[in-house]
Amino acid sequence: MGATDQRFDAAGRFAGGAQYIGGRARPGTSGRLHAVVDPATGDEVLRYELAGPEDVDAAVTAAAEALPAWAGATPAERSDALRRFAGLLADQAEQLARAESVQCGKPIRLTTGFDVPGTVDNTAFFAGAARHLEGRSAGEYSADHTSYVRREPIGVVGSVAPWNYPLQMAAWKVLPAIAAGNTIVLKPAELTPLTSLMFAQAATEAGIPAGVVNVVCGAGADAGERLVGHPDVAMASFTGSTAVGRRVAEITTRTVKRLHLELGGKAPFVVFDDADLEAAVHGAVAGALINTGQDCTAATRAYVQRPLYEAFVSGVADLMASVRLGDPFDPATDLGPLVSYAQRDRVAGFVDRARAYATVVTGGTAPAGKLAKGAYYRPTLVIGAAQSSEIVQDEIFGPVLVVLPFDGDDEGIALANDTPYGLAASAWSRDVYRTGRATREIKAGCVWVNDHIPIISEMPHGGCRASGYGKDMSSYSFEEYTQIKHVMSDITAVARKPWHRTVFSLG
């Protein structure tokens, strides 16, 4: 399985172009070509023409034209379409997994065991949730009126997704939007468009009307900014870095549209001195290395209470050293490459600069030999860094874990909160009062107890502070994708109401 075309035939699959607008594939119109590259081999997977502003306009028009019928469909009709969609994604699971692995470098074990089944489950969840868009019960909150709340679609949604989980992020953006009756234009990262396009195509094949789900694959400065600032886009949703999130917020403010931001993270992993050491070591390595560390909720800062610190560092170093780097399509591979050579070099830069003030215990290099031509980087453990240092404070987005000691519980929680971010965290202890305090006081959108990373469709994902606001997944995501309307009806049939006298008198 060495050749790229044996891994996934992207050129054949997307021969009609890498834009999906109004239910059909078409080429971009920017005049600029872009290559999707297999980061494990450096081989080109697909060369396609990027979307330009005209493609974004066409996609928004298609979404706007599809909106009245889709918004007017009954919850049952939308639910049935989503149920068929989930079944079709399950049927296409192997090809989706292969496409995700070839464009991202993800091990096939991860795409078949996590990315694809998680997406199928998420789709099935929203098939059910589409039938439960409930508002507050009707009632007489004024003695003379009945009030009730309608939950209505916002309109056309413009979403920008990142490159680390292209398939899952497509699902997280598209599913709550369309389950609530909106239509959507999704812009995936130009590095990794394959599974987002396949997801949109499957939606149409499942009977979701053309124009409900559209995908434009272009650069952020051209397609992305045009999409989130488009006057006919009623809501924007962005997942990516905090720096770019600020730019998106500036653009959307000009047109006063709804905005959902899921931004960077620097998740603390707090190990108290009564924790199960083996569980914490295994959890830290898995939590730090998932998706080669390219996960905004990955364990990046481990704070370990001093009695366990040395044993924890030793255990993590030994376990990291046993992790097998290799071809993503080899089922024996534990860790694949980073998404690109540029991302590998960025991660290496963090580690190389840290050598001046910290100690690299294991890793810290790219592998030699047959893996040298890929964007690989060894699992890396760093100790001895100051809390204020770059490697502790900034998001690295690679297979790097920094471990720092702490003494009392107050210090551990304070250190966990000592970054601008607030997306995810974990606390490790056998004491329910300790973990209960940690879950209350650590500032994050999700705090795991004695585990790190698991997500489920029924529960929300999203952060606070510099990690953004709003929720993906779960029924809570409908708060982002619906407009609340209060309807108030007179029940008295009285023409001359007493409150009118506060405005005019009858003389």
Side-chain angles (χ1 to χ4, degrees):
M1 244 190 227
T4 299
D5 60 355
Q6 292 177 307
R7 293 167 178 250
F8 180 78
D9 182 14
R13 179 68 187 251
F14 302 109
Q19 316 300 326
Y20 194 75
I21 299 172
R24 65 180 185 89
R26 52 188 268 184
T29 63
S30 70
R32 296 168 53 202
L33 296 178
H34 183 80
V36 177
V37 175
D38 181 343
T41 64
D43 294 333
E44 185 176 299
V45 174
L46 176 70
R47 184 172 291 270
Y48 69 96
E49 187 169 0
L50 291 167
E54 296 83 2
D55 302 300
V56 174
D57 291 347
V60 172
T61 297
E65 290 174 350
L67 178 64
W70 184 248
T74 66
E77 289 168 338
R78 292 198 291 265
S79 176
D80 286 347
L82 285 163
R83 178 179 48 77
R84 294 192 300 270
F85 189 15
L88 191 58
L89 292 171
D91 292 341
Q92 298 177 4
E94 181 181 356
Q95 287 300 302
L96 287 165
R98 296 173 72 80
E100 197 79 332
S101 288
V102 81
Q103 68 179 348
C104 299
K106 296 172 183 275
I108 197 72
R109 288 206 330 254
L110 182 66
T111 58
T112 59
F114 180 70
D115 295 75
V116 175
T119 300
V120 173
D121 182 74
N122 209 224
T123 308
F125 169 81
F126 277 104
R131 302 185 77 149
H132 296 282
L133 283 166
E134 298 174 347
R136 188 181 294 251
S137 298
E140 285 65 56
Y141 300 94
S142 153
D144 296 337
H145 306 84
T146 293
S147 287
Y148 65 93
V149 168
R150 291 177 57 88
R151 190 179 287 276
E152 298 180 342
I154 292 176
V156 176
V157 177
S159 290
V160 179
W163 47 256
N164 58 332
Y165 288 101
L167 178 60
Q168 288 198 323
M169 291 297 100
W172 287 15
K173 298 298 185 192
V174 169
L175 294 171
I178 67 172
N182 303 285
T183 57
I184 188 167
V185 180
L186 172 71
K187 193 204 87 66
E190 59 267 36
L191 286 175
T192 55
L194 307 185
T195 48
S196 297
L197 289 164
M198 294 169 70
F199 187 79
Q201 291 168 352
T204 303
E205 292 170 22
I208 294 173
V212 172
V213 180
N214 308 274
V215 177
V216 290
C217 301
D222 298 327
E225 293 199 4
R226 178 73 171 184
L227 177 60
V228 299
H230 199 289
D232 294 331
V233 167
M235 173 191 168
S237 177
F238 172 79
T239 296
S241 71
T242 299
V244 178
R246 292 190 183 100
R247 173 64 178 157
V248 171
E250 291 173 3
I251 294 169
T252 56
T253 298
R254 298 171 194 162
T255 48
V256 196
K257 52 172 56 81
R258 178 83 63 90
L259 178 61
H260 165 221
L261 296 173
E262 199 268 89
L263 306 177
K266 191 71 179 175
F269 187 101
V270 183
V271 182
F272 296 101
D273 58 11
D274 65 340
D276 181 325
L277 179 62
E278 182 182 17
V281 166
H282 281 256
V285 174
L289 300 186
I290 187 171
N291 203 33
T292 318
Q294 299 165 124
D295 187 309
C296 51
T297 63
T300 57
R301 303 177 286 140
Y303 298 103
V304 184
Q305 205 153 15
R306 211 169 289 276
L308 293 184
Y309 176 76
E310 290 187 5
F312 180 87
V313 169
S314 176
V316 168
D318 289 345
L319 190 53
M320 277 189 170
S322 73
V323 170
R324 295 165 295 190
L325 280 70
D327 180 357
F329 285 83
D330 182 347
T333 292
D334 296 323
L335 197 73
L338 288 113
V339 74
S340 67
Y341 301 107
Q343 182 64 17
R344 180 199 60 189
D345 294 345
R346 180 180 183 276
V347 171
F350 273 98
V351 176
D352 291 343
R353 291 190 296 274
R355 297 180 197 277
Y357 56 80
T359 300
V360 178
V361 178
T362 189
T365 61
K370 64 180 182 179
L371 297 182
K373 65 178 181 178
Y376 290 89
Y377 197 76
R378 295 187 186 281
T380 301
L381 175 63
V382 177
I383 62 172
Q387 174 67 15
S388 60
S389 62
E390 173 193 56
I391 204 164
V392 174
Q393 290 292 321
D394 294 347
E395 189 171 33
I396 301 170
F397 232 55
V400 179
L401 176 65
V402 184
V403 184
L404 297 87
F406 71 92
D407 292 306
D409 290 15
D410 290 351
E411 182 188 12
I413 291 173
L415 290 169
N417 286 331
D418 185 27
T419 71
Y421 299 104
L423 186 57
S426 63
W428 299 72
S429 171
R430 291 183 172 94
D431 186 330
V432 296
Y433 297 103
R434 267 181 150 173
T435 57
R437 178 190 176 190
T439 60
R440 291 191 303 273
E441 296 186 12
I442 292 177
K443 295 179 175 65
C446 173
V447 181
W448 292 287
V449 175
N450 294 323
D451 207 344
H452 195 105
I453 284 295
I455 55 174
I456 50 176
S457 297
E458 290 83 0
M459 289 291 116
H461 172 87
C464 58
R465 303 200 290 175
S467 292
Y469 46 81
K471 299 300 180 185
D472 289 309
M473 298 200 301
S474 82
S475 294
Y476 291 98
S477 65
F478 286 138
E479 300 300 323
E480 317 306 324
Y481 293 97
T482 55
Q483 177 67 42
I484 301 301
K485 177 187 288 184
H486 170 216
V487 178
M488 194 173 195
S489 302
D490 174 68
I491 59 175
T492 66
V494 174
R496 300 186 178 192
K497 295 180 171 58
W499 78 265
H500 293 171
R501 306 291 77 76
T502 65
V503 181
F504 60 89
S505 67
L506 295 178

